[in-house]
Amino acid sequence: MNNFQYSRATDVADALSQIAADASAKFIAGGTNLIDLMKYDVEQPSRLIDISHLPLAKVEETTDGGLRIGALVPNSDLAWHPLVTERYPLLSSAILAGASAQLRNMASTGGNLLQRTRCFYFYDVATPCNKRDPGSGCSAKDGINRINAILGTSDACIATHPSDMCVALAALDAKVHVAGPNGERAIAMADFHRLPGDTPQRDTNLDPKEIITAIELPAQGFNTHYTYLKIRDRLSYAFALVSVAAALKMDNGTIRDARLALGGVAHKPWRNPEAEAALNGQPPTHDTFARAADVVLHEAMGFGHNTFKIDLARRVIIRALTQAANGTPQSQSDKKIA
């Protein structure tokens, strides 16, 4: 590992002041992804700014009935928080489907949003990768790309976003609150992460001099008809090949509001408004769900090793929507063998 300096921020203003003074510095909280990247020489920060002691570790109700989650709330605390398990069980399910208990104890909510891809070539500094070295090429396109994207890809990059939690946050219409030198702002979860385009080195629309302070959830939590279904290679501790967060509001056997987000298939959590619109006002049948899946995947494209994901995603969408409609969310034991 390369040498680096270490400092601790005393408050948000101090954190912003320190990051503004050093363009190659990085914030660190739990460090569950950043430390790995440093060990692999993918990241080489000159300074680590410890933000783990900032007052951003509360879960609070908002005046409009939603929830505000501090950026430093550990994933494990968030997954088991009574307000989350009662009102936003989709989020709890997604968090518990990811990583291990030990990692969830360390990982922060804000840090989870900033995870970087697990593409093999991104981690292998001996190979070309446009995310690491813009303009060098994408080794995954003609390489071992089984885990890579089938939606929203570009000539420059076919990497996927790795987070489970972010898929649920996308389905729930969360907002990301950030602070920076120009003050505070809120970014819709749908706009927080980016598709690769011709700038795959940029994962998010967060400015390098900004810091995440909180995640806000709206009042509608879909706590009855929901599921988070994750398909992966190993029984546990593996990233998704395909995952689906499905949430429905049912009224007399008809879908009145539908949310559908996919993980493991794109550079960001993938939502398709047209597919959700195709579900609204329809009966919860296999044919309805199959049509929605077809809308989601009509532009999907494989690159050889990962072409199987297209059919897999279709089947996972149908299964997840069926479970959500039936009010039978994926159990913890099911998640481990999905």
Side-chain angles (χ1 to χ4, degrees):
M1 188 180 291
N2 296 311
N3 290 329
F4 59 88
Q5 301 296 313
Y6 169 87
S7 60
R8 179 179 291 177
T10 56
D11 54 30
V12 171
D14 182 41
L16 293 175
S17 176
Q18 290 195 46
I19 201 76
D22 189 344
S24 61
K26 294 283 185 181
F27 291 131
I28 187 168
T32 56
N33 187 205
L34 178 58
I35 297 301
D36 283 344
L37 293 171
M38 292 171 66
K39 289 178 178 178
Y40 280 91
D41 260 353
V42 177
E43 295 278 9
Q44 300 178 9
S46 61
R47 175 183 295 273
L48 293 183
I49 304 168
D50 186 349
I51 59 171
S52 63
H53 290 72
L54 301 188
L56 301 174
K58 293 182 179 180
V59 178
E60 303 171 299
E61 294 185 85
T62 60
T63 56
D64 61 357
L67 211 61
R68 184 181 175 94
I69 303 160
L72 293 177
V73 174
N75 283 180
S76 53
D77 290 4
L78 182 60
W80 295 112
H81 194 284
L83 289 176
V84 174
T85 57
E86 178 185 352
R87 290 160 49 180
Y88 306 93
L90 177 62
L91 176 58
S92 178
S93 296
I95 295 171
L96 293 174
S100 65
Q102 294 89 339
L103 286 171
R104 291 194 298 266
N105 286 341
M106 287 298 298
S108 66
T109 297
N112 193 304
L113 270 65
L114 299 176
Q115 289 185 78
R116 306 212 69 187
T117 184
R118 266 54 177 198
C119 177
F120 305 139
Y121 300 100
F122 175 69
Y123 270 79
D124 184 357
V125 295
T127 61
C129 171
N130 287 321
K131 288 185 72 63
R132 274 189 289 100
D133 183 14
S136 64
C138 175
S139 298
K141 289 183 69 177
D142 296 317
I144 305 300
N145 50 45
R146 187 172 186 274
I147 67 171
N148 291 82
I150 56 173
L151 289 166
T153 60
S154 73
D155 289 340
C157 183
I158 61 170
T160 57
H161 182 68
S163 172
D164 291 291
M165 185 186 80
C166 289
V167 182
L169 290 176
L172 291 168
D173 273 342
K175 292 181 181 178
V176 184
H177 289 268
V178 305
N182 297 319
E184 299 180 355
R185 65 185 179 119
I187 308 171
M189 190 65 191
D191 300 324
F192 184 77
H193 295 99
R194 297 165 56 96
L195 292 178
D198 56 5
T199 56
Q201 70 274 18
R202 291 195 62 191
D203 293 337
T204 74
N205 285 311
L206 185 73
D207 187 274
K209 296 180 180 180
E210 291 181 315
I211 186 173
I212 298 173
T213 56
I215 311 298
E216 184 180 345
L217 295 174
Q220 171 65 283
F222 298 92
N223 62 351
T224 302
H225 295 281
Y226 70 92
T227 199
Y228 185 74
L229 178 56
K230 178 179 180 179
I231 305 301
R232 45 194 161 176
D233 279 326
R234 298 195 307 275
L235 297 182
S236 59
Y237 313 152
F239 295 96
L241 291 170
V242 175
S243 64
V244 174
L248 304 173
K249 184 177 181 181
M250 305 294 298
D251 182 15
N252 294 322
T254 299
I255 301 169
R256 296 304 180 194
D257 189 9
R259 306 287 177 81
L260 187 65
L262 276 66
V265 298
H267 200 258
K268 61 184 289 185
W270 190 265
R271 269 185 79 179
N272 186 307
E274 290 78 15
E276 294 176 348
L279 290 165
N280 293 336
Q282 300 299 312
T285 65
H286 183 278
D287 287 347
T288 296
F289 300 151
R291 285 193 296 270
D294 289 341
V295 173
V296 173
L297 298 167
H298 77 282
E299 292 185 346
M301 179 175 65
F303 294 87
H305 295 284
N306 72 342
T307 304
F308 77 97
K309 277 191 176 188
I310 299 173
D311 182 60
L312 177 63
R314 187 176 190 275
R315 289 183 282 118
V316 178
I317 290 169
I318 294 170
R319 176 177 161 188
L321 287 168
T322 300
Q323 290 180 181
N326 292 337
T328 53
Q330 198 81 357
S331 71
Q332 294 307 307
S333 60
D334 285 341
K335 283 192 196 113
K336 292 180 181 179
I337 63 173

